[in-house]
Amino acid sequence: MRRNRGRMVVVPDEPLPPAADRAREGVVPGETLPAAARAPLGERGTDLDPRFVAALPELLDVATRLAREAGSLVHDGRPARVDVAATKSSPVDVVTAMDLASEDLLRRRLAELRPDDGILGEEEGWTRGSTGITWVVDPIDGTVNYLYGLPSWSVSVAAVVDGATTGAPDPATWTALVGCVHAPVDGRTFRAARGGGATLDGRPICVNAAKTMAESLVGTGFGYLERRRASQARVIAGLLPRVRDIRRLGSAALDLCAVASGTLDLYFERGLRPWDLAAGALVAQEAGAQVTGLHGRPAGEEMTVAGPPRTAGELRALLEAAGADSDA
Ligand code: IPD
């Protein structure tokens, strides 16, 4: 146990529990799952090169340690008033000094612990490695929440392999090996290893049982460009009357983990970058979610939809009909 801001938080260091012990009620038998998720949970890693399978425990340990170390730096070092250090794609797409310091810490620690792996980070881009493994890191996911002192932000650390490209790893073709999403304000840590299930603070988690669309609580997020936001507003206007409600929490990594742990039924967003989804999508998949794009395409920047397979399929159909994967 570890003390976090006056309350006791269980910080498990034990291995993930066996597949057979995990709750599965959110996954409706016979539904169409992507090939990787169709195999029994504990056997999903068997399509991997054995050297990556053997590395999973160490990789998960590194992901967890680094997400927590960066999380502590960012949380404990937050000044009373956070300033914008720079802007990116638009004036509302901000970077704080802590985004930069956190990515710097992650890169320094990876250079010590896994010096031959590649790194793809939100702030400093891609550094090629030689092992086939790349770390995909978001030093603060939910920077606008961090800026304003809202609690929903996280540090996201994943390790992926992608033999399909000679460039930076791409969510459309990579295989995520491990992922950790740590939310420093309340101390929650979501973790997953490919084929090993997903946990929240060491306890197995599972998506909610599929519900009707009208009973589903749906998370989403908005881009930083005016044109995209106008199109997203149109999609939301069509969806809102058909669902229980909509939530915009402000950290895509935590949104995906919310689906994994049942605090959201469904989630969709257009515009996610690789670091926004690398760890959270694996946590969601390992908790029984289907995570895809629209029109049979993989999850990625064009669109990411996550949820129990049947309702994720219904949401995809609504989003496809609304043309939600375009900014028109
Ligand atoms: C953002 C958050 C947000 C999502 C944006 C992302 P950042 O990441 O995940 O929830 O709606 O699309 O860019 O910029 O805070 O790392």
Side-chain angles (χ1 to χ4, degrees), residues 88 93-94 122 138 140-144 221-224 248 250-253 255 269-272 275-276:
K88 297 191 279 189
D93 185 4
V94 297
E122 175 168 20
D138 194 335
I140 303 180
D141 185 58
T143 301
V144 173
F222 306 120
Y224 294 114
R248 198 294 192 239
S251 161
D255 287 327
E269 183 162 350
R270 173 163 165 75
L272 294 189
W275 39 83
D276 294 321

Side-chain angles (χ1 to χ4, degrees), residues 190 205-209 211 217 255-266 287:
F190 296 87
I205 50 175
C206 185
V207 293
N208 285 338
K211 297 172 181 162
L217 186 62
D255 287 327
L256 287 159
C257 292
V259 170
S261 55
T263 51
L264 286 176
D265 293 304
L266 291 160

Side-chain angles (χ1 to χ4, degrees), residues 74 94 96 99 122 138-156 224 248-254 276:
V74 176
V94 297
T96 70
D99 288 90
E122 175 168 20
D138 194 335
I140 303 180
D141 185 58
T143 301
V144 173
N145 283 344
Y146 182 73
L147 182 68
Y148 280 82
L150 292 167
S152 183
W153 57 272
S154 59
V155 177
S156 172
Y224 294 114
R248 198 294 192 239
L249 303 175
S251 161
L254 287 175
D276 294 321

Side-chain angles (χ1 to χ4, degrees), residues 105-123:
L105 178 147
L106 292 167
R107 284 179 180 268
R108 247 186 309 109
R109 295 288 284 131
L110 285 169
E112 288 164 15
L113 298 170
R114 303 281 312 177
D116 300 323
D117 296 345
I119 306 176
L120 174 63
E122 175 168 20
E123 310 304 340

Side-chain angles (χ1 to χ4, degrees), residues 16-25 40-44 193 195-199 204-206 286-287:
L16 294 171
D21 294 348
R22 295 194 302 264
R24 298 291 317 277
E25 64 267 22
L41 278 174
E43 293 167 22
R44 274 192 232 154
T199 61
I205 50 175
C206 185
E286 288 294 332

Side-chain angles (χ1 to χ4, degrees), residues 100-280:
L100 303 172
S102 175
E103 183 155 330
D104 191 52
L105 178 147
L106 292 167
R107 284 179 180 268
R108 247 186 309 109
R109 295 288 284 131
L110 285 169
E112 288 164 15
L113 298 170
R114 303 281 312 177
D116 300 323
D117 296 345
I119 306 176
L120 174 63
E122 175 168 20
E123 310 304 340
E124 290 175 44
W126 181 47
T127 309
R128 187 191 292 271
S130 59
T131 59
I133 295 172
T134 300
W135 293 88
V136 184
V137 302
D138 194 335
I140 303 180
D141 185 58
T143 301
V144 173
N145 283 344
Y146 182 73
L147 182 68
Y148 280 82
L150 292 167
S152 183
W153 57 272
S154 59
V155 177
S156 172
V157 178
V160 307
V161 287
D162 191 350
T165 171
T166 53
D170 182 338
T173 50
W174 76 34
T175 300
L177 300 176
V178 301
C180 178
V181 177
H182 177 58
V185 174
D186 60 16
R188 287 176 305 155
T189 304
F190 296 87
R191 307 197 306 156
R194 188 167 189 78
T199 61
L200 164 56
D201 295 337
R203 297 184 191 89
I205 50 175
C206 185
V207 293
N208 285 338
K211 297 172 181 162
T212 65
M213 200 49 66
E215 292 169 316
S216 292
L217 186 62
V218 181
T220 192
F222 306 120
Y224 294 114
L225 302 175
E226 278 180 43
R227 181 176 154 86
R228 175 156 298 172
R229 285 185 170 186
S231 151
Q232 287 172 321
R234 177 184 55 74
V235 171
I236 293 290
L239 191 62
L240 186 54
R242 312 179 75 143
V243 298
R244 185 187 294 276
D245 210 337
I246 302 271
R247 293 288 180 271
R248 198 294 192 239
L249 303 175
S251 161
L254 287 175
D255 287 327
L256 287 159
C257 292
V259 170
S261 55
T263 51
L264 286 176
D265 293 304
L266 291 160
Y267 165 71
F268 75 97
E269 183 162 350
R270 173 163 165 75
L272 294 189
R273 307 304 306 281
W275 39 83
D276 294 321
L277 65 85

